[in-house]
Amino acid sequence: MATSKEMTAGPALPLILKFTLPLLLGNLLQQTYSLVDAAIVGKFLGINALASVGASTSVVFLILGFCNGCCGGFGIPVAQKFGARDYSTMRSYVAVSLKLAAGMSVVIALLTCILCEDILRIMRTPENIFEGAYAYLLVTFIGVPCTFFYNLLSSIIRALGDSKTPFWFLLFAAVLNIILDLFCILVLDWGVAGAAIATVFSQGLSAVLCYIYMYRKFEILQGTPKERRFQSKLAKTLLYIGVPMGLQFSITAIGSIMLQSANNALGTACVAAFTSAMRIKMFFICTFESLGIAMATYSGQNYGAGKPERIWLGIKASALMMIIYAAFTFLLLMVGAKYFALIFVDPSETEILLDTELFLHVSCMFFPMLGLLCILRYTIQGVGFTNLAMFSGVAEMIARILVSLYAVPVFGFIAVCYGDPMAWIAADLFLVPAFIYVYRRLKKQVFTNSQVTQTVA
């Protein structure tokens, strides 16, 4: 029998660290098979094929980021009700979120498939890689329901304090994805579309198995027919929290699309360098994302339990872990960036290798800014202020658009390298005062509730 765990009592640092580690391992696995995707494509299909996959990276983040943001948002009321020990309402939230996911994912898949070609044209995708980029993107969009459901189920399980179970399903998906990658590309000769098919199929099968396991093993989720009905009031709450989180990812991605579009105009070599550098960067920054997700669950449960002081303890503990990791990655990437780049391209591709190394060197200097962003944003989201957190995405978008429009045409690829760091700084300038405002609101709310309780007593 699987167990759910509360994080509303005990020292913050070990609780968050213990919860983060399976998340981190899962994210590393996810990035590993993303790396393997790109490495297999780059090594066996060539630079143009690698650029085809990379040319659509920001668009994939735009759509899948919205889906993943919604899934994370749907998990927040579950975490809050779990922290408050209101298990009946919690089960109703789970049931409603699954129904919403079914409708939303199908609509998103249909719309994006129809607009796929137009999106790539707008992004000025080079003609020599257009066909491969279209095939990769179309398959990815068809598989949106698979991604949506896997992430939603993982979010629900994490909301119950269990970050280990999603890891095991992700491990299964990662191993299956690598095997299918090799089979689809080397045996079936399906090209870049084969890489996308392998990913979608792996996530879909993992989602099905996760759903079966979740309802069989988590007794706390076993509800009555009444709890499984669709309730419009709960749906509105889920959408109120989930959609702003999804939009925050999408707004952030709009800036990334602008940046990638500007980079696409610099030529295939820059696209390939951007692709390999982003894959490597994503691998190393998933620790910050994992800490953020852990803080969303931690803050959600403690908010539900009426313990805002523990949220501040969690901020300090996660910030300490973040700084230590950022220092480690800085040293590692400053020394080893060029060796990581060789995973994707041959040593003869000197221009691509140098550009990849430059991108990583610039990025790792600003990792503490990204770490702070993840911790504060997810904490604010975890206590239900998702609209406020969304505006940090607007700050990121504006920064990337300004770099894309004014810096890249003048300075070239070096400006692309500074696009993300400038966005992280812009978001932090908003998030620091936003968190202070939210934390003061929470303390005032708890104080008011305690006064009312004493008066009634």
Side-chain angles (χ1 to χ4, degrees):
M1 180 186 70
T3 58
S4 50
K5 299 174 184 175
E6 293 186 13
M7 294 195 287
T8 56
L13 194 149
L15 280 172
I16 295 172
L17 179 61
K18 186 176 181 180
F19 189 83
T20 300
L21 285 177
L23 279 175
L24 174 58
L25 291 174
N27 279 333
L28 286 174
L29 273 175
Q30 206 159 24
Q31 295 307 320
T32 296
Y33 72 70
S34 180
L35 283 170
V36 171
D37 263 349
I40 292 173
V41 169
K43 291 290 186 180
F44 292 103
L45 300 179
I47 295 303
N48 282 351
L50 178 63
S52 296
V53 173
S56 57
T57 299
S58 295
V59 182
V60 171
F61 179 62
L62 171 70
I63 304 303
L64 299 189
F66 176 79
C67 297
N68 295 347
C70 286
C71 293
F74 290 172
I76 287 173
V78 177
Q80 291 175 352
K81 293 303 177 182
F82 178 71
R85 301 189 178 185
D86 182 359
Y87 300 133
S88 178
T89 306
M90 180 200 74
R91 286 189 287 269
S92 295
Y93 271 124
V94 171
V96 173
S97 68
L98 291 171
K99 292 178 174 65
L100 285 175
M104 292 174 67
S105 62
V106 171
V107 171
I108 292 170
L110 288 173
L111 289 176
T112 51
C113 287
I114 293 170
L115 298 173
C116 185
E117 182 176 353
D118 294 329
I119 292 170
L120 289 173
R121 294 290 182 196
I122 292 171
M123 290 183 64
R124 297 182 288 177
T125 305
E127 286 298 327
N128 63 319
I129 63 173
F130 188 91
E131 184 179 348
Y134 177 78
Y136 185 87
L137 198 57
L138 183 64
V139 173
T140 301
F141 287 160
I142 292 172
V144 162
C146 298
T147 304
F148 206 117
F149 269 97
Y150 171 74
N151 283 285
L152 175 60
L153 295 169
S154 297
S155 178
I156 290 169
I157 294 172
R158 285 195 298 267
L160 304 180
D162 178 10
S163 58
K164 293 181 181 178
T165 299
F167 164 74
W168 294 115
F169 285 105
L170 189 57
L171 175 62
F172 168 78
V175 173
L176 180 62
N177 185 78
I178 293 170
I179 294 171
L180 290 177
D181 255 343
L182 295 169
F183 180 72
C184 292
I185 292 175
L186 301 182
V187 179
L188 299 180
D189 196 26
W190 285 353
V192 292
I197 290 170
T199 300
V200 168
F201 183 84
S202 301
Q203 286 189 330
L205 183 57
S206 184
V208 171
L209 295 176
C210 193
Y211 177 84
I212 294 172
Y213 177 87
M214 185 178 80
Y215 272 102
R216 286 185 177 179
K217 299 296 182 179
F218 285 83
E219 289 186 359
I220 198 172
L221 293 177
Q222 304 297 325
T224 64
K226 182 180 179 181
E227 291 172 341
R228 289 193 290 269
R229 292 175 188 167
F230 185 84
Q231 301 180 44
S232 58
K233 183 179 179 181
L234 299 187
K236 289 178 182 178
T237 301
L238 289 167
L239 292 172
Y240 179 79
I241 296 175
V243 171
M245 281 185 68
L247 288 176
Q248 172 239 298
F249 279 96
S250 295
I251 290 168
T252 301
I254 290 171
S256 297
I257 288 174
M258 291 289 293
L259 187 63
Q260 184 160 17
S261 180
N263 184 65
N264 287 351
L266 299 177
T268 302
C270 286
V271 176
F274 183 82
T275 303
S276 57
M278 285 296 289
R279 289 293 195 277
I280 297 166
K281 187 190 81 170
M282 293 302 293
F283 183 86
F284 282 98
I285 68 175
C286 62
T287 296
F288 305 126
E289 187 78 8
S290 300
L291 268 175
I293 295 171
M295 279 303 299
T297 300
Y298 175 89
S299 60
Q301 287 193 9
N302 282 284
Y303 169 73
K307 299 179 178 180
E309 71 284 351
R310 287 186 53 79
I311 296 175
W312 175 238
L313 293 176
I315 290 285
K316 292 192 291 184
S318 57
L320 175 63
M321 290 185 279
M322 178 272 289
I323 291 170
I324 293 171
Y325 176 76
F328 167 75
T329 51
F330 174 80
L331 294 174
L332 185 60
L333 286 176
M334 290 301 290
V335 174
K338 57 185 175 182
Y339 301 108
F340 290 116
L342 290 170
I343 297 172
F344 304 95
V345 295
D346 293 324
S348 59
E349 302 284 354
T350 54
E351 180 185 357
I352 297 174
L353 290 172
L354 288 173
D355 282 346
T356 303
E357 184 178 23
L358 175 64
F359 187 100
L360 293 171
H361 282 174
V362 172
S363 294
C364 70
M365 291 188 293
F366 293 90
F367 277 178
M369 299 296 100
L370 175 62
L372 181 63
L373 183 160
C374 290
I375 291 169
L376 294 181
R377 176 183 284 165
Y378 277 101
T379 299
I380 291 171
Q381 291 171 342
V383 296
F385 287 78
T386 53
N387 285 324
L388 193 59
M390 182 178 66
F391 286 112
S392 66
V394 175
E396 284 190 78
M397 178 187 70
I398 293 172
R400 287 192 177 95
I401 288 175
L402 291 175
V403 170
S404 304
L405 293 178
Y406 299 108
V408 176
V410 177
F411 300 105
F413 189 76
I414 183 65
V416 175
C417 298
Y418 278 94
D420 283 342
M422 293 303 99
W424 301 337
I425 292 172
D428 283 335
L429 289 175
F430 175 84
L431 284 168
V432 170
F435 172 74
I436 294 172
Y437 165 77
V438 168
Y439 186 62
R440 286 175 177 172
R441 283 279 303 271
L442 294 180
K443 289 202 297 182
K444 183 178 180 181
Q445 180 180 334
V446 170
F447 177 77
T448 301
N449 290 342
S450 64
Q451 291 290 99
V452 171
T453 302
Q454 290 174 8
T455 302
V456 173

